[in-house]
Amino acid sequence: MTNVGIVIVSHSPKVAEGAADMVRQMVGEDVRIAWTGGDTAGGLGTNFQAITEAIHRAWSEAGVAILVDLGGAETNSQMAVEMLREDWRDRVVICNAPIVEGAVIAATEASGGASLATVRHIAEEWSR
């Protein structure tokens, strides 16, 4: 079985790495987790190329759910999705959920074999 992959995008590399580490410790290795944070100069920010690379690291035929922290991360994630191969675009979603809690919930659902739509729905519903 192939599980949905998870990408964590934060303006802070430490936040992104910490959230990914928390997910791995809580969910294990059944879900591909990738993270990216910071701008190309090492400061706070995000960039679509790094997000694209993270999507590739977390790629699964079941799809990829992206969790973001702030508006710029969402904008750059949308740009990264638009730049993907056409056959991948429909299998990558950006979840409107808190980055840490959402990532844990999304990965927990994914580890049980849930579909991309279910992973997204549960992450977004749980945060309301």
Side-chain angles (χ1 to χ4, degrees):
M1 178 181 0
T2 303
N3 295 327
V4 171
I6 306 292
V7 171
I8 298 169
V9 181
S10 174
H11 282 69
S12 166
K14 290 181 179 180
V15 169
E17 183 179 19
D21 183 56
M22 186 174 184
V23 169
R24 276 191 201 95
Q25 288 187 42
M26 295 180 79
V27 178
E29 301 293 326
D30 291 338
V31 176
R32 288 185 180 174
I33 307 291
W35 63 270
T36 183
D39 64 13
T40 56
L44 293 179
T46 62
N47 74 78
F48 85 93
Q49 184 60 42
I51 296 167
T52 301
E53 292 167 6
I55 292 168
H56 282 266
R57 288 192 308 274
W59 180 252
S60 161
E61 290 298 318
V64 172
I66 302 174
L67 290 104
V68 300
D69 62 357
L70 300 170
E74 183 173 5
T75 300
N76 280 330
S77 293
Q78 289 170 338
M79 193 179 338
V81 172
E82 290 172 10
M83 301 297 284
L84 291 173
R85 296 178 2 195
E86 189 173 340
D87 61 323
W88 281 26
R89 286 184 211 140
D90 290 339
R91 291 186 276 169
V92 180
V93 298
I94 300 169
C95 299
N96 183 17
I99 194 166
V100 176
E101 298 93 334
V104 170
I105 294 300
T108 300
E109 287 298 312
S111 70
S115 69
L116 181 60
T118 299
V119 167
R120 180 183 197 178
H121 175 75
I122 295 297
E124 291 179 350
E125 274 301 309
W126 185 85
S127 67
R128 292 175 202 235

